[in-house]
Amino acid sequence: FLNGENSDIKICALGEEWNLHKIYLCQSGYFSSMFSGSWRESSMSVIELEIPDQNIDVEALQVAFGSLYRDDVLIKPSRVVALLAAACMLQLDGLIQQCGETMKETINAKTVCGYYNSAGTYGLDSVKKKCLEWLLNNLMTHQSVELFKELSINLMKQLISSSNLFVMQVEMDVYTALKKWMFLQLVPSWNGSLKQLLSEADAWFAKRRKDFEDDIAFLESEQGNAFLSVFTHLRLQYIISDLASARIIERDSLIPSEWLSSVYKQQWFAMLRAEQDNDIGPQEINKEELEGNSMRCGRKLAKDGDYCWRWTGFNFGFDLLVTYTNRYIIFKRNTLNQPCSGSVSLQPRRNIAFRLRLASFDSSGKIICSRTTGYQILTLEKDQVRLWIFELLNLNFCFTEWAVKDCLVC
């Protein structure tokens, strides 16, 4: 192959020439069809290849042709997309499969969007699925200016609408991430740091508010209309339940006022049902309802130890404390035992429908191991504690990247 010894055909492409052998080229579906039919090229000794795909370069063709002469091919992650493009054009199924495996093993914040788009272009559904899983698991913890610029509207819509998105902290943090992402989609030339991004985005949107003659939300403007389909998947009821978050939402004026009015009304009636109609919470599992409307919140535990947290905001008098200790997860309905910043319901029993997910990640965001309870209903009496052993004692979690997500409906 390297020396072109005893070549019986010359392939010309992209200004380069390869002296090759038909017997090897016939392993390629592309050349097999060319040589076996009544095509003009079947009798030619010099063939000019047209390369319509801009992802294909000379180096990719060199490796693709070379793969016909040996079984093992070393694929560099930086070259895998170009090589995949060449392999697809030449119909080299084995090389396509190798490229796919390389991509799945090297997904990280820098490669995920490129891999996702290439997998869609070249029909590698398993790679596309892996990239989507990586983004669902890591979008909130691996934020970067470059990643936000690469995430398309359609892809971001898939992520925000998914019930499997690992939300770190609370829904307001999803809104903040979307605000930064939308700014970078509109101003892709901005090249500041991630620390500067939020303040720059706030300043840019504030200037746009002054430019609007009518008192309309940014998403209703010509510039913002393209992003409506993404923001519709925000679970606003868990944002406006916190005073500080509600004030930011009103100040930013990104969200149409009709959306907010509807949510305020919905939450007001929910509060009345809890207070006056003795609504104790979900009675049965409605998976569709849970996946689309439950609270999304989570924490990242950097190392083993004892942790206890509660999420801020009005939760209809249900003060849920979540404790992690000795690899146990403990739920407690706090009523009278500990101070609470807001009102507390004195109903004898309250139900929550929840799903608790835990996952351990390596430094690139790849899942090492994970567990889930599935959707369950838990009944808690006043100050009652429930313990979830969850097989944690048998897991060797890497505490450099450990995430807890739980979905609650009170």
Side-chain angles (χ1 to χ4, degrees):
F1 168 70
L2 293 175
N3 298 326
E5 295 173 3
N6 302 317
S7 168
D8 57 0
I9 190 166
K10 180 182 288 185
I11 304 295
C12 303
L14 301 176
E16 293 291 324
E17 298 178 351
W18 288 267
N19 294 306
L20 303 174
H21 310 81
K22 284 187 177 182
I23 192 170
Y24 287 102
L25 289 179
C26 281
Q27 297 172 87
S28 154
Y30 180 88
F31 286 111
S32 178
S33 299
M34 179 185 291
F35 297 150
S36 63
S38 57
W39 299 100
R40 179 170 57 93
E41 290 88 349
S42 62
S43 59
M44 295 172 61
S45 59
V46 178
I47 294 176
E48 291 277 351
L49 285 186
E50 289 189 15
I51 309 295
D53 191 335
Q54 294 184 346
N55 285 327
I56 301 174
D57 55 20
V58 171
E59 185 180 345
L61 287 175
Q62 174 78 3
V63 176
F65 289 143
S67 72
L68 298 170
Y69 291 77
R70 59 182 299 173
D71 294 330
D72 298 323
V73 177
L74 179 63
I75 302 176
K76 299 177 183 177
S78 60
R79 299 292 309 155
V80 70
V81 172
L83 185 54
L84 174 62
C88 287
M89 176 190 158
L90 299 176
Q91 300 171 34
L92 300 173
D93 294 340
L95 188 56
I96 292 171
Q97 185 176 351
Q98 287 184 61
C99 288
E101 293 304 315
T102 299
M103 292 167 82
K104 283 188 273 190
E105 289 298 318
T106 56
I107 296 172
N108 56 47
K110 293 182 179 179
T111 62
V112 64
C113 288
Y115 284 179
Y116 179 87
N117 294 330
S118 298
T121 299
Y122 301 112
L124 294 185
D125 291 339
S126 62
V127 174
K128 193 173 179 180
K129 182 181 177 182
K130 279 285 185 184
C131 290
L132 191 61
E133 287 175 359
W134 189 95
L135 285 166
L136 288 169
N137 292 331
N138 295 281
L139 177 65
M140 301 297 291
T141 54
H142 285 66
Q143 294 180 25
S144 70
V145 172
E146 294 73 21
L147 181 60
F148 278 145
K149 286 181 180 180
E150 289 186 87
L151 285 167
S152 68
I153 290 176
N154 285 335
L155 182 50
M156 185 62 94
K157 178 182 174 181
Q158 284 190 70
L159 298 174
I160 301 304
S161 65
S162 175
S163 62
N164 290 320
L165 177 66
F166 257 101
V167 173
M168 289 297 103
Q169 302 300 338
V170 291
E171 193 75 17
M172 184 61 185
D173 295 279
V174 180
Y175 168 80
T176 303
L178 284 183
K179 181 166 55 172
K180 293 186 285 188
W181 164 77
M182 183 165 64
F183 165 69
L184 289 172
Q185 294 291 302
L186 293 165
V187 192
S189 59
W190 190 82
N191 285 313
S193 68
L194 186 63
K195 287 184 178 180
Q196 299 169 315
L197 180 53
L198 181 57
S199 59
E200 285 290 325
D202 282 336
W204 192 88
F205 286 117
K207 185 176 184 303
R208 291 300 169 282
R209 285 197 298 275
K210 294 178 182 178
D211 294 340
F212 295 147
E213 294 182 5
D214 300 322
D215 189 20
I216 63 170
F218 181 79
L219 291 175
E220 296 174 303
S221 70
E222 187 176 345
Q223 271 186 310
N225 196 257
F227 303 94
L228 269 171
S229 63
V230 179
F231 279 79
T232 54
H233 294 287
L234 276 173
R235 303 182 182 188
L236 293 171
Q237 64 269 39
Y238 302 112
I239 295 178
I240 58 99
S241 62
D242 175 65
L243 180 59
S245 300
R247 283 173 170 164
I248 292 172
I249 289 281
E250 294 284 351
R251 179 206 69 191
D252 288 350
S253 193
L254 301 180
I255 307 293
S257 59
E258 291 81 5
W259 294 12
L260 294 173
S261 297
S262 174
V263 174
Y264 286 132
K265 180 179 178 180
Q266 168 193 320
Q267 292 301 88
W268 174 250
F269 277 102
M271 185 186 74
L272 291 179
R273 285 195 302 272
E275 289 293 315
Q276 299 179 8
D277 202 23
N278 293 321
D279 183 356
I280 66 168
Q283 304 294 311
E284 58 185 22
I285 296 293
N286 183 332
K287 188 176 179 183
E288 184 178 351
E289 171 73 12
L290 282 167
E291 288 183 345
N293 295 299
S294 59
M295 180 191 294
R296 302 187 288 191
C297 42
R299 290 297 293 265
K300 176 178 161 184
L301 309 184
K303 60 182 180 180
D304 202 359
D306 294 336
Y307 299 86
C308 182
W309 60 89
R310 59 158 61 99
W311 279 272
T312 57
F314 177 72
N315 290 305
F316 307 100
F318 192 95
D319 185 27
L320 184 72
L321 302 183
V322 182
T323 302
Y324 169 82
T325 182
N326 294 323
R327 303 208 171 194
Y328 291 86
I329 295 289
I330 300 169
F331 288 171
K332 178 183 178 181
R333 178 192 170 191
N334 179 49
T335 307
L336 301 171
N337 284 0
Q338 292 179 258
C340 180
S341 59
S343 60
V344 174
S345 170
L346 297 179
Q347 283 180 286
R349 286 194 246 359
R350 292 292 293 270
N351 290 352
I352 57 169
F354 74 97
R355 176 181 60 167
L356 176 63
R357 297 171 60 208
L358 301 100
S360 177
F361 302 91
D362 66 13
S363 58
S364 69
K366 184 178 179 181
I367 282 189
I368 299 170
C369 55
S370 63
R371 292 287 188 275
T372 179
T373 61
Y375 289 108
Q376 300 195 30
I377 288 181
L378 183 64
T379 299
L380 290 169
E381 298 180 0
K382 289 186 283 188
D383 293 310
Q384 185 178 2
V385 174
R386 291 293 295 270
L387 180 70
W388 290 93
I389 300 176
F390 211 47
E391 299 183 44
L392 296 184
L393 294 172
N394 298 323
L395 296 182
N396 182 22
F397 276 107
C398 169
F399 277 92
T400 56
E401 295 278 347
W402 201 73
V404 180
K405 172 187 176 182
D406 64 76
C407 304
L408 310 173
V409 177
C410 300

